[in-house]
Amino acid sequence: MKLREISTGSRIAAASPGAGTEAPPVKDDLASLRVVPARHYARWVAAAAVSVLVAQFAHGLITNPVWEWQVFRDYVLSETIVTAVGLTLQLTAYASVLGFLLGTVLAFMRLSRSPVLQTVAWSYIWIFRSIPMIVQLVFWFNLSALYERLGVGIPFGPVFWSIDSNSLIGTIGAALIGLSLHQAAYAAEIVRGGVLAVDHGQLEAAAALGIPRLRQIRRIVLPQAMRAILPTAGNEIIGLLKGTSVVYVMAIGELFYQVTVIYGRNGRVIPLLMVATAWYVVLTSLLSVAQYYVERRYARGANRTPPPTPLQRARRFVRTLRAAAARRNQPVVPLSLAGGRR
Amino acid sequence: MSDVTVDIEDVKADSDHVMVDVHGVHKSFGPLEVLRGVDLRVRAGEVTVILGPSGSGKSTLLRTINHLEKVNSGWISIDGELIGYRRSGGKLHELKEKDVLKQRTHIGFVFQNFNLFPHLTVLENLVEAPVSALRRPRGPSEEKARRLLDRVGLAEKTDAYPRQLSGGQQQRVAIARALALEPKVLLFDEPTSALDPELVGEVLDVIKDLAGTGTTMIVVTHEIGFAREVADTVVFMDGGVVVEQGPPAAVLDAPRHERTRAFLSKVL
């Protein structure tokens, strides 16, 4: 495509004074010449080929009976599925919040001047990034085998109060702990990356002004770190949304588990997988839109003029269409006149 | 820090009042000794301009005064108060960060690169420290911030974000931000070095104005003209020590030291 642009460039050069036979050597008249847009033949061929492939795929979606769209319709909004979607959302929300809270603490531990805190945080991240999520989840599921009772007391001394670990945690609790702890290890590195991306001068300025340490972090560092944190955090939360499907091994009634239960019963595997797919796509889309607006909020002050929102962009588009329509109803003004007026 | 023998309580409240007292300060970064025994006294209401080639330790000296850099030996006091340490029972106790932060509210610092908070509006930049560090109420702080912005000629920029301002405007905001804490002394670390030449004047004018109101200031700069016009004392530093100091007429027009002469012949 680069070649194409170069040839466009040469065309303009040919139109410059004295170079072409028809171009008069007067500079002002250049404005009256008709501009011929470059033709991108390769682009057209590629577009056609891709269109055929897409059309084929869409045709298959509609005509292949194995998709069983009727079954999809029956289940996609059924009560079981909607409840399962709710649970998936809850697992995602709680694990994201807990994971990022713990992750933020770990990030600042790693950034602290205390070697003990640094080492503990580093080791946590090392361990929890090393264990596959599914292995960790099954561990938590079997916590009672490891510690039958959990209690409060003096370390290595007497225990004042204790409780059966199964009744304290439960299956969903175990899933949440597993997801959150796993998430925290990744979140810690994301937050740390964001904090490191903040200009050192910002911390110096805050310190020179005597702003208290916690306030420096909350008011000066984190809001600026968010610019670097958000794109990756968005990735992580979307990853977690789909990652919750792993807890089906613990027989928790989230979206994927329910889908497997239903197709285990009726054998309609493909349409039910499509039900899960559709919901994951919808939820991911919602998260992506939310991410866009959160990022926009934290971009305040980063640009001289903030970019328009999609809504503003749509309005602007409608306005240009209207203006174009209005212009079409007016008598045509020759281009040369517009150029000559300058 | 073993040579603290001067009684720092002994300060007079007249025109001889020493606001900044730097005594025998040494500072090394690893094997590199940047400050090699610096002494400096700045009286209240005076403007001191520090000149010197790059690498002479001017900026480091300024940064030790508000404890952004810890000294290796020697001591610094502002208005009779030791910076970074507390003296009790014949010992010097290192202050906790919280107390150092409190001390810094008395010391305004203006950076070469402004270091305004880009995600906060101009007004929020000015209000942040008074509200969070001095625990002042927000309303009066905002009012005061508006007055300060008016004073540096930026009354109409209160709601702008720093990146929407020119370099000169940003530095004027930074000066107003330092003033919002009503510091006892203002430190300027090459305040015009990051500016386009045509913007230098507006910033220097603001600093001149402040000098006229009796604010104690230490200015590290390369603007010899500014030093001549505004400074009460010019300090020439080279190789981590103060080579000579005195009124601008003496140091700039009749330097006694060869190194000062060599430097001035290059920059004038």
Side-chain angles (χ1 to χ4, degrees), chain B residues 29-158:
Chain B
F29 294 108
L32 182 70
E33 197 175 16
V34 182
L35 297 179
R36 302 198 264 182
V38 175
D39 292 286
L40 183 69
R41 298 189 128 205
V42 176
R43 280 191 289 276
E46 268 194 5
V47 179
T48 300
V49 170
I50 304 180
L51 301 174
S54 66
S56 59
K58 328 180 280 292
S59 288
T60 307
L61 174 65
L62 211 61
R63 292 163 60 85
T64 57
I65 294 176
N66 77 344
H67 212 60
L68 277 179
E69 306 285 355
K70 248 186 230 179
V71 298
N72 296 115
S73 66
W75 53 263
I76 292 161
S77 73
I78 305 267
D79 202 12
E81 188 184 349
L82 264 187
I83 295 300
Y85 298 90
R86 184 170 48 83
R87 188 182 176 195
S88 98
K91 283 185 191 156
L92 284 179
H93 299 269
E94 205 176 310
L95 288 183
K96 288 191 189 145
E97 190 177 358
K98 195 176 133 219
D99 301 311
V100 173
L101 286 169
K102 200 174 281 172
Q103 287 188 330
R104 290 210 187 104
T105 60
H106 302 306
I107 311 165
F109 200 100
V110 176
F111 294 88
Q112 184 178 347
N113 297 317
F114 333 132
N115 288 341
L116 293 177
F117 305 130
H119 60 302
L120 304 180
T121 64
V122 165
L123 190 72
E124 288 167 337
N125 262 280
L126 264 69
V127 171
E128 177 57 32
V131 167
S132 70
L134 299 182
R135 310 210 156 272
R136 298 255 170 86
R138 183 165 286 273
S141 301
E142 283 188 1
E143 211 151 290
K144 187 174 163 47
R146 283 178 209 282
R147 278 204 304 278
L148 283 168
L149 286 172
D150 190 37
R151 186 162 157 195
V152 299
L154 292 170
E156 76 286 6
K157 297 289 186 189
T158 47

Side-chain angles (χ1 to χ4, degrees), chain B residues 16 27 75 84 97 146 182 215 243:
Chain B
D16 281 345
K27 173 69 188 175
W75 53 263
E97 190 177 358
R146 283 178 209 282
E182 297 164 14
T215 315
V243 175

Side-chain angles (χ1 to χ4, degrees), chain A residues 113 199-216 218-224 227 297-306, chain B residues 63 66 68-69 97 101-102 104-105 107-109 111 114-120 124-125 128-129 131-133 135 138 161 163-166 177-178 181:
Chain A
R113 275 166 236 156
D199 178 20
H200 185 64
Q202 291 291 309
L203 274 176
E204 282 202 332
L209 286 164
I211 297 170
R213 186 93 179 113
L214 264 180
R215 176 89 177 170
Q216 286 181 25
R218 241 189 42 236
R219 177 79 164 156
I220 308 298
V221 176
L222 277 181
Q224 294 187 62
R227 296 259 302 148
R297 189 185 137 69
Y298 280 99
R300 275 180 317 174
N303 305 98
R304 291 196 154 202
T305 44
Chain B
R63 292 163 60 85
N66 77 344
L68 277 179
E69 306 285 355
E97 190 177 358
L101 286 169
K102 200 174 281 172
R104 290 210 187 104
T105 60
I107 311 165
F109 200 100
F111 294 88
F114 333 132
N115 288 341
L116 293 177
F117 305 130
H119 60 302
L120 304 180
E124 288 167 337
N125 262 280
E128 177 57 32
V131 167
S132 70
R135 310 210 156 272
R138 183 165 286 273
Y161 285 97
R163 292 216 174 104
Q164 295 167 329
L165 306 179
S166 73
R177 180 174 72 172
L181 287 168

